[in-house]
Amino acid sequence: MKRTLIHNISRIEGIVAAGIQSLRGAEMAKMQSIENGWLLIEGERIAAFGSSEEMQPENIDERIDAARGLVLPSYCDSHSHLVFACGRETEFEDRIKGLSYEEIAERGGGILNSVDKMRSMSEEELYERSKTRAWEAIRSGTGALEIKSGYGLDTESESKILRVARRLGKELPIEVKTTFLGAHSFPREFQEDQDAYIDKIKNAMIPAIAAEGLANYIDVFCERGYFDKVQMEEILIAGIAHGMKVKVHVNQFSSIGGLQMALKHNALSVDHLEVMTEHDIEDLCASETIATALPACSFFINIPYAPARQIIDKGGILALATDFNPGSSPCSNMNFIVSLACINMEMTPGEALAASTLNGAAAMELSEDLGSITIGKRANLIITRPMDSLSQIPYYFAKDPIGKIILSGKVIA
Ligand code: NIG
Ligand code: FE
């Protein structure tokens, strides 16, 4: 097996003992680090690491000079809508002129605007556009990515999105998990008959998507004007019956019981959480469900940030993700997410790293293999530009910290 040694590392960050699947509460600040390190890769896995004062391994096939950069685990972005047709810059300008995100949606823009474009785009064109975006995410340090459907809202278009997502996972050096979000909005043709759309999701779309093996998870946008908690439950039950775990949009603009409904169905993660009551926080932190905060959405559409500090202080498991999508978060760069978490959510750089690596991996059921510097895990690594502390990534916000990207043991950028 090929042996690759990364040497001249200023610090290795994100070290976790084998067997730890996620970090909750105060543990999030406790990923380990080593100053002046080396790291050995055998084949596609992390074989050993240590400090330069210790003996370095011999019989090396390839040496990579980290040039005094940090080595970190690759980011695991557990919430994205990366497969979309086009950006929505016109709505961006409408918001600058004073309309809110919700007002734009009420006028028939928003998600439904993306649906019109999606339905008319060929699968090949959609793949090419999505591939470009996925490469941008990879180059900014993401090694694993969850991708949702939700801009098709009919069986054919939703399947098209998920096929494209699966293909990205096969053809690009990134791990992809997929989520069916047929319940993202009521499509125009079902505006007057919501029950009929829910029936279609349960009895036509979910079975078709499951038959093609296109989705790992089931999602619902539980929100005023979208799906209420009762409609959500019906859809979750149908998804679960087809082997999909629950991973949902709740509490973005209002607290309407979706969070508790998701917990009742053992959600893997509940995502957004910008509007949380004390009760919501208590219920969430007492559970095994991962709280996924999406700070770029708060930043971009000017809504509150998820109460990350309270969730961590109350012992919850918190992950950070981009929510990359054309309406509320046109950002796929996890470095910026880490900055926002530190600047606007009172998270320390160490907590933000745990949230965007190991806990993100856990929110995609990948933490056995990814999300930390652990012997035996896949060598998905970021080597940063020269720097001597982790804080420099969030501190120099909007500056690209990436030196090299290693995925499955290979330098790919
Ligand atoms: O996660 N909130 C629902 N869905 C997306 C935004 C969808 C859109 O505006 O296109 C989100 O923020
Ligand atoms: Fe989202």
Side-chain angles (χ1 to χ4, degrees):
M1 227 184 303
K2 182 173 169 189
R3 284 162 63 86
T4 305
L5 183 73
I6 310 176
H7 64 102
N8 201 16
I9 302 170
S10 70
R11 302 184 71 88
I12 305 176
E13 294 282 354
I15 301 169
V16 166
I20 295 177
Q21 303 293 336
S22 63
L23 293 169
R24 67 187 307 152
E27 295 166 357
M28 285 179 63
K30 294 186 183 147
M31 284 178 129
Q32 304 292 305
S33 64
I34 290 179
E35 213 180 320
N36 295 323
W38 54 265
L39 185 145
L40 178 70
I41 301 169
E42 273 181 3
E44 57 178 40
R45 306 218 155 247
I46 300 171
F49 53 85
S51 128
S52 303
E53 281 100 67
E54 296 162 30
M55 274 256 290
Q56 295 202 9
E58 290 168 3
N59 303 322
I60 299 302
D61 302 300
E62 186 190 353
R63 288 177 172 272
I64 299 172
D65 184 353
R68 307 302 299 161
L70 311 174
V71 167
L72 326 167
S74 292
Y75 294 121
C76 297
D77 182 359
S78 62
H79 183 136
S80 93
H81 309 245
L82 173 138
V83 178
F84 54 85
C86 350
R88 302 212 301 263
E89 300 82 352
T90 314
E91 292 178 8
F92 176 53
E93 290 187 28
D94 291 342
R95 281 201 303 106
I96 294 168
K97 289 177 190 146
L99 283 181
S100 72
Y101 177 80
E102 285 164 292
E103 284 164 344
I104 291 167
E106 278 156 22
R107 292 178 179 200
I111 294 168
L112 294 182
N113 191 347
S114 287
V115 170
D116 296 335
K117 307 246 167 48
M118 172 62 70
R119 287 181 177 176
S120 59
M121 185 168 282
S122 77
E123 188 163 328
E124 201 52 38
E125 172 76 14
L126 186 65
Y127 177 74
E128 286 305 321
R129 291 181 179 213
S130 304
K131 185 171 85 173
T132 304
R133 294 185 202 118
W135 270 112
E136 282 165 8
I138 290 170
R139 282 194 209 95
S140 67
T142 298
L145 179 67
E146 182 263 9
I147 302 175
K148 299 173 195 301
S149 66
Y151 290 127
L153 309 186
D154 61 28
T155 311
E156 198 188 299
S157 309
E158 288 288 303
S159 303
K160 175 169 78 182
I161 299 169
L162 293 169
R163 272 196 304 273
V164 165
R166 283 274 193 246
R167 188 173 158 200
L168 293 171
K170 276 203 196 88
E171 297 187 11
L172 272 50
I174 190 172
E175 192 71 41
V176 171
K177 289 277 184 128
T178 57
T179 302
F180 172 58
L181 178 54
H184 200 188
S185 179
F186 290 95
R188 292 190 212 284
E189 63 278 18
F190 283 97
Q191 291 288 335
E192 304 309 318
D193 194 355
Q194 297 196 347
D195 289 347
Y197 186 55
I198 289 167
D199 200 63
K200 181 174 170 179
I201 292 178
K202 286 171 17 187
N203 299 316
M205 296 166 87
I206 289 176
I209 276 151
E212 260 193 83
L214 288 175
N216 304 100
Y217 306 116
I218 178 81
D219 195 347
V220 174
F221 183 25
C222 185
E223 190 55 60
R224 279 200 201 111
Y226 294 84
F227 296 80
D228 66 28
K229 65 176 179 182
V230 177
Q231 296 171 320
M232 176 193 200
E233 182 169 40
E234 280 191 52
I235 294 163
L236 296 186
I237 289 171
I240 292 165
H242 283 85
M244 302 170 193
K245 285 196 185 159
V246 172
K247 198 167 170 62
V248 286
H249 285 71
V250 293
N251 296 56
Q252 183 178 7
F253 300 105
S254 56
S255 172
I256 55 169
L259 175 78
Q260 284 72 13
M261 189 58 83
L263 296 181
K264 176 179 164 194
H265 292 282
N266 299 317
L268 176 63
S269 73
V270 287
D271 303 26
H272 272 291
L273 315 176
E274 290 89 343
V275 176
M276 295 280 278
T277 65
E278 286 302 319
H279 238 90
D280 292 334
I281 296 175
E282 296 289 337
D283 291 346
L284 175 53
C285 294
S287 77
E288 295 299 314
T289 295
I290 298 167
T292 302
L294 308 168
C297 173
S298 301
F299 175 80
F300 188 70
I301 62 171
N302 285 312
I303 60 172
Y305 286 81
R309 189 69 264 149
Q310 286 182 64
I311 291 171
I312 296 171
D313 290 345
K314 289 205 155 72
I317 313 170
L318 187 97
L320 286 166
T322 61
D323 196 18
F324 184 29
N325 77 76
S328 69
S329 179
C331 168
S332 64
N333 190 319
M334 287 293 286
N335 300 293
F336 186 57
I337 302 302
V338 168
S339 285
L340 288 176
C342 296
I343 296 165
N344 290 323
M345 298 169 85
E346 298 170 58
M347 289 174 69
T348 65
E351 288 170 338
L353 182 67
S356 55
T357 57
L358 189 64
N359 287 357
M364 294 183 273
E365 301 178 287
L366 290 171
S367 58
E368 195 106 30
D369 201 38
L370 294 173
S372 63
I373 306 291
T374 303
I375 291 172
K377 279 199 181 179
R378 192 137 28 115
N380 275 15
L381 308 169
I382 296 167
I383 304 178
T384 70
R385 294 175 196 269
M387 62 178 80
D388 49 29
S389 88
L390 180 65
S391 305
Q392 289 178 11
I393 296 176
Y395 176 79
Y396 290 107
F397 72 94
K399 174 175 169 174
D400 177 12
I402 303 298
K404 285 191 171 68
I405 299 295
I406 298 177
L407 292 176
S408 299
K410 290 196 190 77
V411 179
I412 60 111

